[in-house]
Amino acid sequence: MKILLTQESDWLERNPHQQHHLMDRMAIRGHEIKVIDYPIDWTKDKSKGLIYPKEVYDDVYKIDKRAGIQVIRPKFIKLPVLNYISLAFSHRKEISKQIKEFKPDIVLSLGIMNAYISSVYAKKYNVPYAYYLIDLIYNLIPEKLFQPFGKIAIKRAISNSNLVITINQKLKDLAIELGSTKDETLVIDAGIDFNDFDPNLDDSSIRKEYGINKDDVVLFFMGWIYNFAGMKELAIDLGKNKEKYPKIKIVIVGDGDAYEDMLAIKEKYDLKDQLILTGKQPYTKIPEFLSLADFCMLPAYKDEQIMQDIVPIKLYEYLAMEKVVIATELPGISKEFGYGNGIEYVQSADEVLELVDKILSENRYEKIAKAGREHVKHNDWNAITDTFEKTLIDLVENYNK
C-alpha cells in the first residue's frame, strides 16, 4: 500500500509522536510512505535568504532505522503571514504532484491548511482520504488571529474525509463536534514498545552521568517544554523550598519555548544540583532516562485550551515504566485514564512537591506505580499497528465498492 501523509509540523526535528511510531512500523511491513511536512520552527533558522528552498529527504526514520520514509518539504517565504500564503501555493502544487505521480492508495492528514488541500485533491483524483486527529492543532497556531481560520480548515477537511481516526475518546468527541459522524470516527490508542520500556532497566550508568544518588527523588519531564507546561512553576517552587526538599531533583529531557527560562530559574534559585536540563536527547536513550525517574510530570496549566483534549503519548510510556505520574486534572487525560490507574492529579504545579512527599510518606508509591503498568499492558505497538494497518486497508478496499 502507498501512503501519502501530510502535516504542518516538522517530521525530522520534533520528538516522535503517534504518526512517527505508526509510519515507521508500517514502512517496515512493506508499505511505501511519503510525508509532506513543514519546518514549524523556521524562525530559529539563522541561515540567510528570504526563501526556504524545497528539500527532499530520503531514508528517514524516527523509531526504526529500517523504515526508509521519504520526507518532502515544499518551499515557502520566510516572513510572518507570507509563510502561510506561500505555503498554500507550494503545498497545493506538491500534493497535486504526489497524488498524480506517486499514485497513493490513501492520503492521510494531520495538518490544517495542507489537510484541507489534501482532502480536496484526494476527492478530485478519487483517492480515499483519512483525517488523523491527534491534537487540538488549530489552537497551536502561534498567531491567535489565524486560529478560527484553522478551525474552519479542519472542519472542511473532516467533511471531505472518508474516515477520521483519533487517539482517545475525548478527541473522538471533538471530531464529532467538528463535523464527523460516530460511524466514520474511530479511536486507535497510543502504543508502547514493551521491549524498550522495561521497568527493570539498569539506571546506574545514567545516574552516575548526571550525579543522581539512589536516595534522591527524581521528578522527570520529557519532550517540548511549552511555557504552559508548568515546569517553570515547579522549578520555582522547588527553588523556594529546596531546604525542605533537599533530596528532590527535577530532570528535564528536551528543549522548547521555555528552555531559556528554565536555565534562568536554575541560576536564580541556585538549583545547580537539583534542576538537571539535558537538552534534546535521542529517542533511543529515553527509556534509560526514564529508568532513573521516580515521578513523571505533566503539571500543565489547567485552563490552557491546547491541553484540554489531548493525551500525550509519553503518559503511556511513563506508566509502562512503572512510574507514578503526576498530572494536572485535564479532561482528556482523566477521561482516558480515569482514577486509580497510575496517575495522581493536581490542580496546579505548586501542589506537586507536597503530593510527592505525601505519597512517599504514606508508602503508596508501589501500589500506584503497579496499577499504572497494569492499565497500559495491552497497548503494545504491534497490536496497535495491526489495527491501524487493517483500518487503512479496509478503507482502501471498500472505497469504490
Side-chain angles (χ1 to χ4, degrees):
M1 182 166 54
K2 291 183 176 181
I3 301 170
L4 177 64
L5 184 146
T6 65
Q7 67 167 44
E8 285 158 356
S9 187
D10 194 317
W11 190 271
L12 305 175
E13 296 299 327
R14 286 299 176 100
N15 294 315
H17 287 75
Q18 182 89 349
Q19 66 269 34
H20 300 109
H21 286 272
L22 286 170
M23 291 301 106
D24 272 24
R25 288 171 170 83
M26 291 285 283
I28 292 166
R29 294 182 178 200
H31 302 288
E32 188 177 353
I33 297 162
K34 290 192 176 188
V35 173
I36 297 175
D37 85 334
Y38 168 61
I40 195 168
D41 296 319
W42 63 267
T43 54
K44 298 177 183 177
D45 182 3
K46 303 303 181 184
S47 62
K48 295 179 181 180
L50 182 63
I51 304 296
Y52 192 108
K54 177 180 175 179
E55 296 176 315
V56 178
Y57 302 88
D58 293 316
D59 296 322
V60 172
Y61 73 93
K62 295 291 285 187
I63 309 299
D64 194 307
K65 292 181 179 180
R66 298 171 294 169
I69 291 170
Q70 184 181 77
V71 177
I72 303 162
R73 186 166 287 178
K75 68 180 180 179
F76 63 93
I77 299 173
K78 293 165 57 179
L79 287 173
V81 181
L82 287 178
N83 63 318
Y84 295 125
I85 296 172
S86 60
L87 208 65
F89 287 99
S90 62
H91 276 236
R92 180 181 288 111
K93 180 180 178 181
E94 191 63 46
I95 290 165
S96 175
K97 176 185 176 184
Q98 291 302 326
I99 291 178
K100 286 188 285 187
E101 296 180 2
F102 178 51
K103 300 186 184 306
D105 297 294
I106 187 167
V107 177
L108 180 69
S109 292
L110 296 96
I112 301 175
M113 180 170 59
N114 73 357
Y116 170 63
I117 294 169
S118 299
S119 72
V120 170
Y121 278 98
K123 182 176 286 188
K124 178 180 178 180
Y125 292 107
N126 197 33
V127 179
Y129 176 79
Y131 189 80
Y132 196 17
L133 186 65
I134 66 168
D135 210 337
L136 194 62
I137 54 174
Y138 55 82
N139 277 336
L140 289 171
I141 298 173
E143 301 85 359
K144 290 189 180 296
L145 177 67
F146 294 131
Q147 290 180 4
F149 297 101
K151 187 175 182 178
I152 291 169
I154 290 175
K155 279 186 167 183
R156 290 181 176 175
I158 286 176
S159 71
N160 288 334
S161 299
N162 304 109
L163 179 69
V164 177
I165 303 171
T166 71
I167 59 172
N168 61 63
Q169 187 58 48
K170 196 73 173 63
L171 282 173
K172 179 179 180 179
D173 295 342
L174 175 64
I176 292 170
E177 287 178 21
L178 291 172
S180 186
T181 66
K182 288 184 178 180
D183 292 340
E184 293 177 348
T185 310
L186 178 68
V187 175
I188 299 178
D189 290 336
I192 305 155
D193 188 331
F194 286 100
N195 291 324
D196 291 334
F197 291 89
D198 180 356
N200 299 311
L201 278 178
D202 180 14
D203 64 357
S204 57
S205 176
I206 202 83
R207 282 183 180 273
K208 183 178 179 181
E209 182 178 351
Y210 288 94
I212 299 170
N213 300 319
K214 273 290 184 183
D215 60 346
D216 288 331
V217 178
V218 177
L219 312 187
F220 181 85
F221 176 91
M222 69 178 184
W224 192 260
I225 318 168
Y226 288 104
N227 284 311
F228 55 76
M231 295 309 296
K232 291 191 292 186
E233 289 75 12
L234 177 57
I236 290 170
D237 195 27
L238 179 59
K240 291 178 177 178
N241 296 280
K242 59 184 179 181
E243 290 80 13
K244 184 179 179 181
Y245 303 107
K247 291 294 183 181
I248 286 184
K249 293 190 175 181
I250 299 173
V251 175
I252 298 178
V253 176
D255 54 14
D257 304 335
Y259 187 78
E260 294 300 322
D261 288 342
M262 297 301 298
L263 290 173
I265 291 167
K266 180 174 182 174
E267 182 175 352
K268 179 178 179 180
Y269 292 95
D270 192 26
L271 288 169
K272 58 181 181 295
D273 296 325
Q274 287 184 270
L275 178 56
I276 299 169
L277 303 166
T278 74
K280 189 174 181 180
Q281 297 290 328
Y283 182 74
T284 53
K285 286 195 71 175
I286 293 303
E288 188 179 5
F289 274 106
L290 255 175
S291 67
L292 60 79
D294 295 296
F295 294 86
C296 294
M297 301 287 107
L298 192 66
Y301 294 1
K302 190 166 187 178
D303 59 353
E304 175 55 53
Q305 188 62 36
I306 294 169
M307 296 298 297
Q308 299 305 303
D309 299 306
I310 67 169
V311 179
I313 192 172
K314 60 189 171 187
L315 292 182
Y316 295 89
E317 295 167 346
Y318 292 164
L319 295 173
M321 289 290 286
E322 220 167 270
K323 309 298 180 181
V324 173
V325 176
I326 296 180
T328 307
E329 192 175 14
L330 295 161
I333 296 171
S334 59
K335 187 165 187 175
E336 184 71 11
F337 293 101
Y339 298 83
N341 293 312
I343 299 181
E344 296 290 298
Y345 295 106
V346 294
Q347 302 308 307
S348 61
D350 59 10
E351 298 178 10
V352 169
L353 296 179
E354 286 189 10
L355 180 56
V356 166
D357 193 50
K358 189 171 188 289
I359 290 170
L360 294 176
S361 63
E362 294 175 354
N363 294 316
R364 293 193 292 123
Y365 184 91
E366 186 175 354
K367 180 180 179 182
I368 298 168
K370 288 189 178 301
R373 171 81 178 187
E374 178 68 19
H375 187 71
V376 299
K377 69 180 183 181
H378 298 298
N379 286 74
D380 178 76
W381 267 123
N382 289 325
I384 299 296
T385 307
D386 287 345
T387 301
F388 185 81
E389 181 180 40
K390 184 177 186 305
T391 297
L392 297 193
I393 290 173
D394 287 349
L395 178 58
V396 171
E397 289 179 349
N398 294 322
Y399 180 67
N400 287 313
K401 285 185 178 180

